[in-house]
Amino acid sequence: MASLSEEVLLVVKKVRQKKQDGTLYLMAERIAWGPEGKDRFTVSHSYSDIRCQKISPDGKAKVQLQLVLHTGESTTFHFANESTSRKDWEAAKELLQQLLPKFKKKANKELEEKNKMLQEDPVLFQLYKDLVVSQVISAEEFWANRLGGINNGESAACENKQEVGISGAFLADIRPQTDGCNGLRYNLTADIIESIFRTYPAVKQKYKENVPHNLTEKEFWTRFFQSHYFHRDRISTGTQDIFSECARQDEKGLKSLVTQGVKNPMVDLLSLEDKTLDEGYGISSALPSTSHASRTVKESSNFAIIKRFNHHSAMVLAAGSRKRDVPADQASETSSTDGNSRDSDFFQPPLKKVKLQEAIEYEDLQQENRPKTVALNLKKSDRYAHGPVPLQSQQYTTSQDIINSVNYIKHEMSNYKPNLTQVLSSAAASSAIAALSPGGVLMQQVAQQAINQMVPTEIQAELKHLYVAAGELLRHFWTCFPVNTAFLEEKLTGHLECMLQAAYSKFHIWQTRRMMRKT
Amino acid sequence: MHGENTQLHAERPQPICRMVFYTFISSEGEISLLVVVVDVNPIWWGQHAQSEPEFTLSKCLDAVMVMGNAHMAMTRTNQLAVIAAHCQDSHFLYPSKRLKGNDDTSSSRDGKYELLSVTNNLIAEEIRDIMSKTELTGNSTDTLLAGSLAKALCYINRISKEVGVAQEIKSRILVIKAADDCALQYMNFMNVIFAAQKQNILIDACVLDSDSGLLQQACDITGGLYLKIPQKVALAQYLLWVFLPDSEQRSLLVLPPPAHVDYRAACFCHRTLIEIGYVCSVCLSIFCNFSPICTTCETAFKIQLPQMVKPKKKKPKLPA
């Protein structure tokens, strides 16, 4: 039953359905039909269920409207009112035309969201497969929790998405190609079609009206390109073209644009006129008259082209700044000319002032407004430069001492000759080593074990053998220098070389053997 | 040298054995630069030479030369630099400007690796030169150690740039310190230490006489080794054992543990080391006692006196 809160958009009386008289109600979210005299609706379809509507062609006597649902079934309504059937039928058709796309998108969008979610999250997909496909839980339950986020987030996502603008040159993309025998091929992609619809809502309207009832899409576009509307020289003769109405609408729109003018006070379009300085240098000649009659043919065709270009640019800009979800606003497309009207709204006095100020002042040339700080005022900054006074008492030396010491050292070093063979006595060396070994004077805090306690004795013995052998080889090596005789030279380059190699490989073998034994 | 070394081989194989094996293991082509900063303060050395005649500056320099030779002999790509820190200035002993002058250096007579003999001769010549030119001004008796360290850092920087980006170069500085610390060089010293830390340059310290707090800090911050030697005559052995291996090899050896460093701050008023003190929140100067005005930045501090609890008076309600 119809709820009280539902908004009834249209009521059509005397609509027959299945040979029964009744009334057709178009509500905000559904379409319903109830038989005459009864209160309840026998037929009720929500718009999201309707796939499309079909209308009977114009010539037929019977005026019918058929609704095809997604499920495939269809319902036919016959508008039987003698006098107003046509009008009712058209009104109903138009309303449906406008409402259906809105709901269609919603239904599709939900499915799309679901698909996307399943694709993005493989875990979810697996879960879905396991639970829903094998019918453990129904699909509705599965999506009940998850889709709650979608409906809320949808509007936000839509707002955040940037709208794709229209390329100004989209008409140029339709490059006609000669088709062999005197024909032209125009390539239309979906993008171009969309651009045309967005820029010229009048064309869109025509498309909706005629396709698919009167013309096929192909025919529509053929007519479009053939029409003078599209062509350069638009001569608005009274032809029976479906697009002549569009041409008239465009003219109207253009005139309203011109009268509106540009409200932005920063832009002065009138100063951009062509001013020639010939013929008198400064004497202003009379402005060329803009009336149609006095123009030459060439001038008028140029004028037409320029007019068309201006109109086209204005439409592109208007379409770009127009929001998407205003389909009901199509009637006012040219008069809105959103760019301009918005400009005029924007340039209220305070904003204009702000704009002027921005143009005049530069931010970084102005005084900086940093928070006020107090300067640090150090009276005795050399205090930071001194470290702690050494704890040991200073040794004081008399100047005589100093002089004596310096003389002594000078004397000593004047005869200095390095004597590197007498640097270290073995007694001193051994005592130093004892001090440095674990347990010695300097190593009291070392808790580490000496390696010779960690390594087993047999490895130590082997290592000692290897080391002694290496030492012997080294001794041979060093005794070859200086290379005075040929014998030494030969020994060095040949004999010793392979000896060293042999020694190295022996050590390497031993090392790997040891490591293998460990593991 | 040979005689002594073979004796050492037989008795104590460990120290030099390590070096032989590590030449096989170390990475190819990596340049290791060792800069030795020797404290040649003539006043300190002159005084101590009179009291301890067996360890003089000559012996010290001999030990340094032995270590330098060992460093250069280990790998062909190793480089050495020696700087003498005097109380007048700091001077490069090696490489010196004389290097380019004398191309006709006499070939070494005892079959030594040419680079080593050239190095030793140059060092000897330079130190003789420096010592003969020592002038007494009377003002400064302290070693200009911070300046020498700064020169060392500059030299390392220059060599790193000359070597190029593709070559890896690892540098370290070894300081052999004789005289006492100079308190005036504190700021410069700290700057040098932090610069070295930034450049990943180790600073090692071998201290002959008295402990130096600054060098302890330097070694701690840069990751080097600090050692105060009990026996000065065995300097060569200590240098070869502890300071010759580079940082990678040190992790594999058992070496003296790091010393405990005294990081206490000194108060600004008496310059004594304190553990707990007062810090001005404006200029960050440290005091040992509280004073209501900071003497450095003249900020006044207020102490909160304990508040007296006043009985609350109830406001009379306004008639509605």
Side-chain angles (χ1 to χ4, degrees):
Chain A
M1 281 303 291
S3 54
L4 291 166
S5 56
E6 266 187 282
E7 186 197 323
V8 179
L9 297 172
L10 184 66
V11 179
V12 185
K13 296 224 172 79
K14 294 222 175 137
V15 176
R16 289 176 75 99
Q17 197 254 353
K18 289 205 177 118
K19 312 269 194 233
Q20 259 194 322
D21 269 329
T23 328
L24 187 69
Y25 298 88
L26 282 109
M27 257 87 76
E29 281 181 24
R30 60 183 179 137
I31 181 170
W33 179 88
E36 190 103 8
K38 294 211 180 116
D39 266 339
R40 53 182 184 81
F41 297 132
T42 42
V43 179
S44 157
H45 299 296
S46 72
Y47 293 130
S48 43
D49 288 339
I50 302 174
R51 190 154 56 106
C52 63
Q53 58 166 341
K54 286 190 185 163
I55 48 178
S56 55
D58 277 339
K60 263 195 163 181
K62 249 183 161 187
V63 187
Q64 284 185 326
L65 182 77
Q66 191 182 52
L67 294 173
V68 184
L69 302 178
H70 285 297
T71 51
E73 46 174 276
S74 58
T75 329
T76 321
F77 297 106
H78 174 78
F79 292 79
N81 198 328
E82 295 92 27
S83 49
T84 58
S85 61
R86 272 269 123 175
K87 259 200 313 185
D88 294 336
W89 174 77
E90 283 209 14
K93 191 184 60 147
E94 299 246 343
L95 201 57
L96 271 175
Q97 246 184 17
Q98 287 168 16
L99 290 170
L100 280 181
K102 263 203 273 182
F103 289 92
K104 203 186 251 183
K105 276 191 210 154
K106 220 185 196 176
N108 281 347
K109 230 172 198 158
E110 273 197 46
L111 275 173
E112 263 180 51
E113 282 292 328
K114 286 182 188 172
N115 266 337
K116 209 168 58 160
M117 273 178 72
L118 283 180
Q119 272 171 21
E120 280 171 8
D121 192 356
V123 176
L124 193 68
F125 187 51
Q126 187 64 31
L127 203 63
Y128 183 80
K129 268 202 293 191
D130 288 336
L131 294 173
V132 177
V133 175
S134 55
Q135 304 200 339
V136 176
I137 34 174
S138 66
E140 286 149 15
E141 280 176 28
F142 184 77
W143 291 112
N145 295 338
R146 290 182 175 82
L147 280 186
I150 290 182
N151 289 329
N152 296 338
E154 202 188 294
S155 44
C158 277
E159 280 162 25
N160 293 341
K161 270 189 236 158
Q162 262 192 340
E163 288 175 16
V164 181
I166 305 172
S167 149
F170 66 84
L171 281 179
D173 290 334
I174 321 168
R175 262 178 247 111
Q177 300 160 346
T178 48
D179 201 6
C181 37
N182 273 355
L184 287 172
R185 262 178 88 82
Y186 286 93
N187 273 332
L188 276 180
T189 59
D191 276 340
I192 296 177
I193 291 178
E194 202 200 310
S195 309
I196 293 178
F197 282 165
R198 275 175 78 181
T199 318
Y200 298 105
V203 177
K204 190 174 184 185
Q205 189 75 10
K206 289 282 174 203
Y207 181 84
K208 282 234 184 84
E209 283 171 13
N210 293 312
V211 174
H213 329 283
N214 297 338
L215 310 160
T216 60
E217 210 174 316
K218 194 169 173 188
E219 276 178 33
F220 179 79
W221 289 116
T222 326
R223 289 264 201 109
F224 178 73
F225 288 120
Q226 281 173 348
S227 78
H228 283 290
Y229 177 69
F230 180 68
H231 280 261
R232 225 158 41 121
D233 311 319
R234 237 197 246 174
I235 310 160
S236 47
T237 55
T239 49
Q240 282 301 315
D241 210 351
I242 45 174
F243 297 105
S244 50
E245 197 189 309
C246 298
R248 266 176 255 131
Q249 261 186 331
D250 283 348
E251 286 268 347
K252 253 199 307 184
L254 201 59
K255 283 215 172 72
S256 70
L257 256 181
V258 170
T259 49
Q260 252 190 9
V262 177
K263 292 282 197 295
N264 186 347
M266 308 292 243
V267 174
D268 184 14
L269 279 180
L270 294 177
S271 66
L272 295 175
E273 273 194 40
D274 293 331
K275 291 191 182 99
T276 55
L277 279 183
D278 56 354
E279 290 188 25
Y281 295 107
I283 303 171
S284 59
S285 50
L287 288 169
S289 66
T290 52
S291 64
H292 285 254
S294 60
R295 247 191 256 131
T296 60
V297 174
K298 189 176 165 211
E299 265 186 36
S300 66
S301 65
N302 287 347
F303 186 73
I305 296 177
I306 291 174
K307 201 165 81 164
R308 279 206 65 193
F309 278 144
N310 286 340
H311 177 67
H312 176 72
S313 312
M315 295 303 286
V316 168
L317 281 176
S321 49
R322 198 186 305 140
K323 293 280 188 243
R324 263 182 185 256
D325 299 335
V326 192
D329 210 14
Q330 284 170 20
S332 59
E333 86 285 7
T334 45
S335 61
S336 69
T337 54
D338 299 83
N340 269 343
S341 62
R342 283 207 193 127
D343 269 353
S344 61
D345 284 336
F346 282 159
F347 285 88
Q348 299 301 319
L351 283 155
K352 178 176 163 193
K353 203 174 178 185
V354 169
K355 263 230 144 173
L356 281 172
Q357 273 218 313
E358 269 178 31
I360 300 172
E361 295 171 344
Y362 281 109
E363 213 180 89
D364 30 352
L365 291 180
Q366 286 176 356
Q367 283 254 329
E368 275 183 51
N369 290 332
R370 282 212 213 109
K372 294 241 166 93
T373 52
V374 182
L376 185 62
N377 180 17
L378 293 175
K379 296 285 179 212
K380 297 178 187 166
S381 55
D382 55 328
R383 280 181 170 182
Y384 295 95
H386 290 293
V389 168
L391 291 172
Q392 312 92 310
S393 55
Q394 293 271 19
Q395 282 185 332
Y396 290 101
T397 48
T398 62
S399 40
Q400 190 55 46
D401 267 341
I402 294 175
I403 296 169
N404 285 348
S405 318
V406 173
N407 288 336
Y408 187 91
I409 200 77
K410 268 186 172 174
H411 177 74
E412 181 202 324
M413 294 308 282
S414 57
N415 302 324
Y416 170 60
K417 268 203 180 60
N419 186 2
L420 296 183
T421 56
Q422 304 294 327
V423 169
L424 197 58
S425 72
S426 49
S430 4
S431 63
I433 291 171
L436 287 169
S437 310
V441 173
L442 298 168
M443 308 284 277
Q444 292 295 336
Q445 292 149 31
V446 175
Q448 287 167 320
Q449 266 189 317
I451 286 191
N452 61 1
Q453 285 152 18
M454 291 196 289
V455 176
T457 41
E458 48 172 8
I459 297 182
Q460 280 191 44
E462 284 173 2
L463 206 53
K464 271 191 192 155
H465 291 315
L466 276 172
Y467 161 74
V468 169
E472 180 64 26
L473 279 175
L474 264 178
R475 199 169 64 77
H476 277 281
F477 180 71
W478 284 115
T479 50
C480 289
F481 292 97
V483 186
N484 294 331
T485 62
F487 164 71
L488 283 174
E489 196 182 345
E490 180 260 309
K491 180 181 178 187
L492 198 59
T493 50
H495 194 54
L496 217 62
E497 190 68 49
C498 44
M499 271 164 65
L500 281 170
Q501 283 293 330
Y504 182 59
S505 54
K506 193 170 171 202
F507 170 72
H508 205 68
I509 291 169
W510 176 84
Q511 190 186 33
T512 42
R513 209 166 29 122
R514 270 288 149 194
M515 283 167 60
M516 299 271 283
R517 254 193 240 173
K518 249 192 186 177
T519 57
Chain B
M1 184 89 169
H2 292 300
E4 286 292 320
N5 272 358
T6 45
Q7 252 191 21
L8 281 170
H9 278 201
E11 288 174 8
R12 299 282 175 189
Q14 284 139 331
I16 306 178
C17 160
R18 284 178 210 164
M19 311 316 166
V20 167
F21 285 144
Y22 284 121
T23 48
F24 285 132
I25 300 169
S26 68
S27 52
E28 302 265 335
E30 191 183 75
I31 297 179
S32 172
L33 170 60
L34 171 67
V35 182
V36 185
V37 176
V38 187
D39 183 357
V40 294
N41 192 333
I43 301 159
W44 189 90
W45 280 108
Q47 283 178 333
H48 278 75
Q50 292 172 32
S51 51
E52 284 180 49
E54 64 269 8
F55 187 69
T56 58
L57 182 57
S58 326
K59 292 262 176 199
C60 176
L61 284 169
D62 286 347
V64 169
M65 266 191 236
V66 164
M67 192 202 162
N69 290 351
H71 176 78
M72 287 200 289
M74 272 176 53
T75 314
R76 224 164 189 283
T77 53
N78 280 357
Q79 291 185 21
L80 179 72
V82 183
I83 302 177
H86 202 271
C87 44
Q88 295 167 327
D89 58 1
S90 40
H91 208 88
F92 267 90
L93 295 180
Y94 178 81
S96 76
K97 297 192 181 98
R98 276 177 225 257
L99 195 65
K100 293 176 189 154
N102 302 349
D103 274 334
D104 54 341
T105 45
S106 54
S107 56
S108 58
R109 272 156 266 137
D110 51 355
K112 218 188 287 190
Y113 179 23
E114 287 246 338
L115 180 61
L116 302 184
S117 61
V118 164
T119 308
N120 296 345
N121 289 340
L122 273 173
I123 293 177
E125 268 185 57
E126 286 289 333
I127 193 71
R128 281 197 295 263
D129 198 41
I130 292 172
M131 282 321 199
S132 61
K133 288 186 188 155
T134 307
E135 302 266 327
L136 272 183
T137 50
N139 291 351
S140 56
T141 57
D142 291 313
T143 322
L144 298 176
L145 200 51
S148 312
L149 285 173
K151 273 200 177 176
L153 285 178
C154 291
Y155 180 76
I156 291 173
N157 187 38
R158 185 186 118 202
I159 296 294
S160 323
K161 294 240 157 61
E162 276 179 8
V163 153
V165 185
Q167 268 279 32
E168 259 192 61
I169 178 160
K170 285 180 101 173
S171 335
R172 61 189 201 272
I173 302 177
L174 168 63
V175 180
I176 298 178
K177 192 171 167 307
D180 289 334
D181 266 350
C182 171
L184 296 168
Q185 295 179 19
Y186 175 75
M187 212 56 184
N188 301 338
F189 225 100
M190 297 314 283
N191 285 338
V192 162
I193 293 170
F194 288 118
Q197 188 204 26
K198 265 279 163 95
Q199 299 288 316
N200 294 327
I201 297 172
L202 291 175
I203 298 183
D204 299 322
C206 181
V207 175
L208 300 177
D209 191 16
S210 44
D211 270 318
S212 153
L214 287 172
L215 278 176
Q216 279 178 344
Q217 282 193 41
C219 298
D220 196 49
I221 290 172
T222 56
L225 266 173
Y226 176 89
L227 189 66
K228 181 173 173 325
I229 303 183
Q231 286 171 294
K232 290 205 274 282
V233 289
L235 176 64
Q237 184 60 49
Y238 285 108
L239 289 178
L240 290 174
W241 183 292
V242 181
F243 297 108
L244 188 56
D246 63 25
S247 55
E248 276 174 27
Q249 296 159 6
R250 281 180 203 179
S251 57
L252 305 164
L253 302 171
V254 179
L255 291 172
H260 171 73
V261 186
D262 192 353
Y263 274 121
R264 286 182 295 168
C267 73
F268 278 38
C269 33
H270 310 105
R271 291 272 141 214
T272 51
L273 295 170
I274 51 172
E275 276 156 21
I276 302 178
Y278 296 84
V279 178
C280 168
S281 50
V282 174
C283 61
L284 297 180
S285 43
I286 304 167
F287 299 104
C288 46
N289 286 318
F290 174 79
S291 69
I293 296 184
C294 169
T295 44
T296 318
C297 65
E298 300 194 344
T299 325
F301 294 111
K302 293 180 205 162
I303 310 180
Q304 291 227 319
L305 297 169
Q307 281 188 338
M308 296 221 300
V309 180
K310 292 181 196 162
K312 283 188 184 169
K313 287 181 196 164
K314 284 193 181 166
K315 282 187 195 168
K317 280 192 182 167
L318 295 167

